[in-house]
Amino acid sequence: CFCSGRAVALLGGLNRLTRAIGPLIGGHIAANYGLGAPLLFRAMFGFAGVLFMYIRVPRLHRTERATVGSNPSDDNTASLFRVVHHHFTAFVHMMATHRGLFLTSGAAMFAMMFIRQCRNTVLSLKGDNLGYSQTDIGTAFTAGYIVDAAMFMPVGFAMDSYGRKAVGIPAFAVLSVGLALIPLVTSITTFTLVSIAMAVGNGLSTGMLMTLGTDLSPKGSQTGNFMGAWHLIGDFGALVGPVVLGLVSTLSSLDHAVVLCAVVGILGGLWYTRYTKETLVRHVSA
């Protein structure tokens, strides 16, 4: 869709905005009411979100759900097994059908989520290694999140005007360079500047995973399974990133681990540039 970049980037921007506001509110609540209060506050907001989704979000594909194992005379266990088997078979078939996309564009998204999560982890570790206070580290994080959140609108317009790769390639480049600069940090000023630089790279990737997945997903009954697998690949990258960072830090040093993450980002950017097609469809009026 021609406008999907702006729509998805808006969702990503709202997510980033909450990350900037949340720590400030949580810190204020903790300072006045104790460390347990922010957790209770967060749980209340989570419950409110679940309740809002239950009431307001429409239920889709109800007819499809009713056709599988819906006979009232069926045994409940057998019916549940048939439903699980049906969806698992459909998921495996979809993965096999679109394995080319998952091995090319999906691999690039794995690398993007890998370095994005490394960025979130390494700043805290580096600040702690250098002996910076929690206030200084928090200030650097907040500055980065504000810059990150402010980029969703121009990034959305750029994706819909110049293409998905017009922001995707710079996102890989800026994030990778920012990670590579971490070992050179020597003061709180350079620490904050690198945090902001990586926030720019992260901001450039606003909505990238969801927009590209939406563009590439097959239309029809396989859309849900495709998007589930697509996000699973991204989530796996986000899971592996900090694990690799911690493992290499333990075996060698944090600086070596960060450089490795930067290399993953560079290779991922090259892979994305080479193997991911431009998915923006421009509608030309007659």
Side-chain angles (χ1 to χ4, degrees):
C1 176
F2 183 72
C3 297
S4 63
R6 276 170 280 186
V8 176
L10 175 61
L11 293 177
L14 292 175
N15 178 269
R16 285 158 168 79
L17 184 61
T18 59
R19 292 186 183 184
I21 296 175
L24 297 177
I25 297 177
H28 177 75
I29 294 175
N32 289 276
Y33 303 102
L35 292 176
L39 300 178
L40 179 61
F41 191 70
R42 179 174 181 174
M44 292 171 58
F45 261 86
F47 178 77
V50 170
L51 185 63
F52 178 83
M53 291 179 63
Y54 180 79
I55 295 174
R56 300 295 301 175
V57 176
R59 295 170 175 81
L60 303 177
H61 305 301
R62 292 180 62 87
T63 56
E64 180 183 338
R65 292 178 59 189
T67 61
V68 184
S70 59
N71 190 340
S73 64
D74 286 348
D75 178 74
N76 289 335
T77 303
S79 176
L80 177 62
F81 177 79
R82 281 193 294 272
V83 171
V84 173
H85 181 267
H86 168 77
H87 287 290
F88 178 77
T89 303
F91 183 81
V92 171
H93 175 71
M94 182 278 305
M95 290 287 290
T97 302
H98 302 287
R99 60 185 178 275
L101 285 176
F102 292 124
L103 291 173
T104 53
S105 300
M109 292 304 99
F110 172 91
M112 171 55 71
M113 297 305 295
F114 183 101
I115 60 175
R116 284 171 71 172
Q117 201 62 34
C118 284
R119 169 240 177 185
N120 292 334
T121 306
V122 73
L123 282 173
S124 296
L125 296 176
K126 186 65 176 181
D128 183 68
N129 282 358
L130 294 175
Y132 299 151
S133 67
Q134 293 298 318
T135 301
D136 290 337
I137 296 175
T139 300
F141 264 99
T142 300
Y145 278 134
I146 290 174
V147 172
D148 195 342
M151 295 185 65
F152 74 90
M153 185 175 294
V155 167
F157 277 103
M159 277 198 290
D160 288 337
S161 299
Y162 304 106
R164 313 323 191 192
K165 298 178 77 171
V167 294
I169 294 173
F172 271 107
V174 176
L175 264 175
S176 299
V177 170
L179 286 169
L181 291 175
I182 286 289
L184 304 179
V185 169
T186 57
S187 67
I188 188 60
T189 300
T190 55
F191 180 79
T192 303
L193 290 176
V194 170
S195 173
I196 292 173
M198 288 196 291
V200 171
N202 198 61
L204 286 170
S205 68
T206 302
M208 180 178 173
L209 179 73
M210 292 178 62
T211 302
L212 189 61
T214 302
D215 292 344
L216 294 173
S217 65
K219 303 302 180 278
S221 60
Q222 288 190 334
T223 301
N225 281 334
F226 182 93
M227 292 303 296
W230 185 260
H231 280 275
L232 180 64
I233 292 172
D235 291 342
F236 186 61
L239 173 67
V240 171
V243 173
V244 172
L245 185 70
L247 181 62
V248 177
S249 298
T250 301
L251 297 176
S252 181
S253 68
L254 179 61
D255 288 346
H256 290 163
V258 173
V259 171
L260 175 61
C261 292
V263 171
V264 171
I266 293 171
L267 294 177
L270 293 174
W271 188 269
Y272 174 76
T273 304
R274 174 66 179 83
Y275 292 107
T276 299
K277 66 178 182 179
E278 177 53 61
T279 58
L280 174 64
V281 178
R282 294 180 172 86
H283 299 286
V284 181
S285 57

